[in-house]
Amino acid sequence: MGEILDVWIDLTNAPHVHYFCQLIKKFEKEGIEYLLTYRDSKNLAKLVEIYNFAGKCIGKHGKTLKDKLIFYAERVIALAELISNAKPKVAIAKHSVELPRVAFGLNIPVIFVVDNEHAEAQNKLTLPLANEIIKPIATDENKLRDFGGKNFINFDGTCEVANVNSRLKGYYPIDNNILKKLGIYNDDPTIVMRPCPNSSYCNGHKDILPDIIKELKNKIDCNIVVFPRDEHQKEVYIKLNAIVPKDTIDALSLLYNSDFMIGAGGTMNRESAILGIPTVSCYPQELLGVDRYLIEKNRMIHTNDVKEIISYVEDNLGKKRGVIELEDPTDLMFERICSYLK
């Protein structure tokens, strides 16, 4: 490669494609040279392709602790080779564990985006190596400091505002035919569901979505679309006559065209809440600050009680509230990156 680049961006999770979309478009508009890397993880590569981004796929996602450690080491080595030749002036990522290590080792400044104060393993491995940390105002700074974070820059919103704006501002338009693509041709309300992450911080909790699906099917004529995390969950939901997408689908367009969201995860709940879709979080662990932030703004509720969830669905199904106005972190990220390019 040889020539000096401006910025290195690393994507390690599918929502990162939406999150960094506007920033990448700003780089292209302003003639800022960037290198995009990403790992082989679920539908991440497919989303990079859909957005038509030019990037390099390096490394993969591990499921067991041993695999995570080995794949981390292998990815660091491969990225070190690439980045030592590319010589970017600054690096930016959201929750990538490899970018801070490689950039720090090569003396490249790191701008790190974090919105999960409970992700102990990732935070310990990354925050101490970051020059600047961009975070939502609601993310607990004290906890991040305990993990070694410093030099925090806050914005008054959530990261999902950038995800949503990447679509609403036309960079990749909303697909209003998404329901038909899923085989939904009736006028019944559509309810989207997402189970708990298969993450180190969310293990051992019962999936309550099957109980919710059974109750809803008995009470309401509705279409239920579920995004399973593994094959076992997929089989369970299909037996309950839920719609399970066969391939990577446009989840943001689905949320935009749906009537309700019930999720035990985080990202889709927050995207839904920002879009103004009635949203229930049944996340089984302590809530993140960004979730409490949206609850305080009356955009989401949190409960693990199936009866409460059913009652809330019955009272709020289809009562869309419109997109909430919150700060998008894209301009802040762009400003901080440019400060290293002078």
Side-chain angles (χ1 to χ4, degrees):
M1 211 173 255
E3 78 270 16
I4 293 179
L5 282 168
D6 292 317
V7 189
W8 169 32
I9 311 171
D10 189 39
L11 314 179
T12 54
N13 202 2
H16 297 173
V17 182
H18 306 301
Y19 178 74
F20 283 108
C21 169
Q22 295 176 98
L23 184 65
I24 290 168
K25 294 298 181 184
K26 272 181 174 283
F27 290 163
E28 292 172 351
K29 183 180 177 184
E30 299 295 332
I32 293 172
E33 295 290 327
Y34 69 91
L35 169 63
L36 180 72
T37 56
Y38 59 95
R39 67 179 179 179
D40 182 10
S41 175
K42 297 179 183 174
N43 58 352
L44 174 53
K46 182 67 177 174
L47 277 172
V48 170
E49 182 185 320
I50 286 170
Y51 272 78
N52 200 29
F53 291 150
K56 293 181 180 291
C57 184
I58 294 177
K60 52 191 174 182
H61 175 63
K63 291 185 179 178
T64 68
L65 288 176
K66 182 181 176 184
D67 280 349
K68 286 178 189 292
L69 180 59
I70 290 171
F71 295 164
Y72 165 81
E74 290 175 349
R75 191 163 192 260
V76 164
I77 291 167
L79 287 170
E81 288 287 346
L82 177 69
I83 301 305
S84 62
N85 287 321
K87 298 182 175 65
K89 296 171 187 170
V90 63
I92 186 167
K94 180 177 187 283
H95 282 287
S96 162
V97 289
E98 293 89 9
L99 177 140
R101 182 65 193 93
V102 173
F104 178 80
L106 296 174
N107 199 29
I108 298 163
V110 174
I111 299 171
F112 204 63
V113 183
V114 60
D115 62 358
N116 187 336
E117 63 269 55
H118 302 322
E120 182 177 353
Q122 291 97 321
N123 289 339
K124 281 183 174 178
L125 289 167
T126 56
L127 300 188
L129 304 179
N131 295 75
E132 302 180 7
I133 297 169
I134 293 175
K135 72 172 195 67
I137 197 167
T139 300
D140 191 329
E141 188 169 309
N142 290 327
K143 287 189 177 179
L144 298 183
R145 285 188 185 281
D146 289 344
F147 294 130
K150 57 189 181 300
N151 298 335
F152 296 99
I153 307 168
N154 290 294
F155 65 96
D156 194 359
T158 77
C159 292
E160 289 75 19
V161 176
N163 299 15
V164 167
N165 283 345
S166 76
R167 309 304 303 280
L168 297 186
K169 293 188 175 180
Y171 296 105
Y172 187 77
I174 292 289
D175 180 1
N176 288 313
N177 291 313
I178 191 71
L179 296 180
K180 289 177 182 175
K181 289 179 180 177
L182 286 169
I184 297 172
Y185 293 95
N186 59 50
D187 292 326
D188 293 338
T190 297
I191 301 172
V192 180
M193 297 189 189
R194 181 77 157 144
C196 185
N198 298 328
S199 302
S200 55
Y201 51 85
C202 209
N203 287 335
H205 291 277
K206 183 195 173 190
D207 180 13
I208 64 170
L209 293 192
D211 295 335
I212 296 169
I213 293 170
K214 289 173 193 171
E215 287 289 324
L216 283 174
K217 291 278 189 183
N218 285 333
K219 289 176 174 284
I220 303 169
D221 289 329
C222 60
N223 308 298
I224 296 176
V225 183
V226 192
F227 291 86
R229 305 270 186 180
D230 56 41
E231 287 300 315
H232 170 70
Q233 288 177 344
K234 182 177 177 180
E235 289 174 17
V236 170
Y237 301 141
I238 289 172
K239 284 179 183 175
L240 292 170
N241 294 318
I243 297 165
V244 176
K246 292 177 182 174
D247 301 303
T248 300
I249 76 146
D250 185 352
L252 271 164
S253 287
L254 175 61
L255 288 173
Y256 186 84
N257 285 280
S258 68
D259 300 282
F260 208 96
M261 172 74 204
I262 302 170
T267 300
M268 285 185 73
N269 284 351
R270 293 188 288 274
E271 288 169 343
S272 170
I274 289 160
L275 284 166
I277 310 302
T279 303
V280 174
S281 167
C282 52
Y283 186 67
Q285 297 279 80
E286 183 184 354
L287 283 180
L288 302 186
V290 283
D291 292 318
R292 291 196 300 272
Y293 173 88
L294 290 169
I295 288 168
E296 286 166 9
K297 293 187 178 294
N298 297 315
R299 286 292 173 140
M300 184 163 69
I301 71 160
H302 178 255
T303 176
N304 296 103
D305 186 302
V306 173
K307 287 183 180 177
E308 278 185 31
I309 293 170
I310 302 300
S311 175
Y312 191 78
V313 173
E314 289 178 312
D315 291 343
N316 293 276
L317 187 59
K319 292 181 181 177
K320 299 186 184 183
R321 305 186 58 190
V323 180
I324 188 170
E325 287 293 321
L326 299 170
E327 185 179 354
D328 184 322
T330 301
D331 287 343
L332 175 58
M333 291 191 293
F334 186 74
E335 174 197 314
R336 295 314 307 145
I337 284 166
C338 287
S339 73
Y340 289 90
L341 304 182
K342 293 172 182 175

